Amino acid sequence: LGVFRRIALALTLSVATGAEPSGSRWPLLAGSLSGELAAFGDEGPRLAWRLDALPPDASGRRFTFTLTGAGLSARGGALYQPEAEVPLSAWLPRVASRVGLPLEGTEAAGTVHVEGEGSWADGRPVGSLRVRWEDGTVRHAADDWELSGIQIMATYDLRGTGQVACTIGGLRYGPLALQGAQIDLSLMPDSRALVTRAALQGLGGRIEAAPFDLSLANPSATVRMTLAEISLRQLVALLPPALSEAQGRLDGEVEASWSAAEGLEITGGWLGLSEGEEATLRLAPVPGLITAQLTPDNPAYSPLQRVEQGETALSVSLLRLRFTPRGDENGRTATVRLQAEPVDPLLKAPLQIDLNVAGSLDQLIKLGMDGRIRFE
């Protein structure tokens, strides 16, 4: 403090014997620090001090201290429980910028609790941290996305490994709303994470990712997702208005890549009518969509005209969409096959449509229109 010109330090360390207290999280180490303080230079009084670390118990680690000399006698004690509370609203954007995540403008709510213990060995810290985040929220108003109901439990070994379990009550991205995400991952010492589980509910069905590696040094990942029992009605809401009504369930697979620099890209996949599923479609009125290929005297002209006008729904026996944004062997970026017939039993007009798409698919999905989700 400016009045102590010389400090002499002595260190003793001992290992406490006996069993570890039940439920204790603290290493069984005890020791003491002692020394002498020279106050006001060499001519000033000497004060002897001592700090003792007592064997820990379930409540934490206790310390006592004494200070004596020149008629002074002082003593006291303290209970040490390593713990911290971090207000995310102030810290998350700053931490994210250090690891390369583009979270400028992100708002976060909730408090992260951190506790742990450790020591110093071989020139590096040794120990572990436990992190808990409850009822958290992260949102970005300008980009129109939000994560809510965040629950995270994580353990981290200072050697670079750890385990993280995360649940997210709700995920909203523009018009897309998902629920009940569950993510489990292992932190590896080479600046990467192994995501062993990533599953969520959305679009009336389930979406689950196969295990994948996530680079932390240069945040990026390639993911393969399985979709099951996706609601055709909810999916249609994300597409251009070619259909006015749809019922049924779809299964499929989607391949995607993500990086902090490039965002999310859909690189391939397929969707098809679930096995044994019955589906119906009603087209948005587009005169000539089907009948332009027919003459008015064709017996199928009238019933198909009612289909293309949206007056009669279609009973679907086969529906399959395949998308290859990089282009397949014929240069197609998407193909659609539809087999159906009018639901009116008096209209006998079996219909098969094969649609080939070439060029960018960005405008096909409404989520892609702002450029944040792209088809490569």
Side-chain angles (χ1 to χ4, degrees), residues 31 58 90 94 114 161 207 240 251 275 278 304 324 341 357 366:
R94 291 170 174 81
V114 183
T161 62
I207 303 172
D251 298 330
E275 184 175 356
E278 296 181 357
L304 291 179
T324 52
E341 60 181 347
V357 180
K366 292 181 180 179

Side-chain angles (χ1 to χ4, degrees), residues 151-365:
Q151 310 281 340
I152 293 179
M153 293 292 293
T155 60
Y156 180 71
D157 190 303
L158 297 182
R159 292 172 295 186
T161 62
Q163 300 291 326
V164 179
C166 172
T167 62
I168 303 175
L171 304 85
R172 184 184 58 79
Y173 185 91
L176 179 62
L178 306 173
Q179 311 86 31
Q182 297 181 324
I183 303 171
D184 297 330
L185 58 89
S186 299
L187 300 175
M188 313 302 287
D190 54 353
S191 297
R192 66 184 180 91
L194 174 60
V195 180
T196 55
R197 182 187 185 192
L200 52 84
Q201 306 288 324
L203 295 174
R206 305 183 306 278
I207 303 172
E208 186 167 352
F212 62 93
D213 277 349
L214 173 63
S215 171
L216 301 178
N218 181 24
S220 60
T222 299
V223 186
R224 185 180 185 90
M225 295 171 285
T226 300
L227 289 69
E229 299 183 342
I230 299 300
S231 167
L232 185 57
R233 178 179 59 82
Q234 294 188 36
L235 185 62
V236 163
L238 303 177
L239 301 176
L243 301 174
S244 63
E245 180 183 323
Q247 299 290 336
R249 298 280 177 178
L250 301 177
D251 298 330
E253 292 182 350
V254 174
E255 298 174 355
S257 63
W258 172 87
S259 70
E262 299 294 333
L264 180 64
E265 295 185 20
I266 307 298
T267 57
W270 63 271
L271 289 170
L273 197 62
S274 302
E275 184 175 356
E277 181 72 15
E278 296 181 357
T280 58
L281 301 175
R282 188 184 298 272
L283 301 179
V286 182
L289 175 67
I290 303 173
T291 57
Q293 311 299 320
L294 305 175
T295 59
D297 58 350
N298 190 309
Y301 185 91
S302 179
L304 291 179
Q305 186 179 50
R306 295 176 60 182
V307 170
E308 70 182 11
Q309 293 284 5
E311 298 174 4
T312 300
L314 290 170
S315 176
V316 180
S317 58
L318 173 67
L319 175 62
R320 190 172 182 90
L321 164 67
R322 178 172 176 259
F323 44 96
T324 52
R326 298 174 181 175
D328 65 6
E329 63 277 4
N330 296 313
R332 298 172 298 186
T333 53
T335 59
V336 179
R337 167 160 286 196
L338 172 68
Q339 293 180 359
E341 60 181 347
V343 295
D344 188 340
L346 299 179
L347 300 179
K348 300 297 183 181
L351 181 65
Q352 176 173 310
I353 296 178
D354 289 299
L355 174 65
N356 297 321
V357 180
S360 173
L361 297 178
D362 283 356
Q363 299 303 315
L364 185 62
I365 304 295

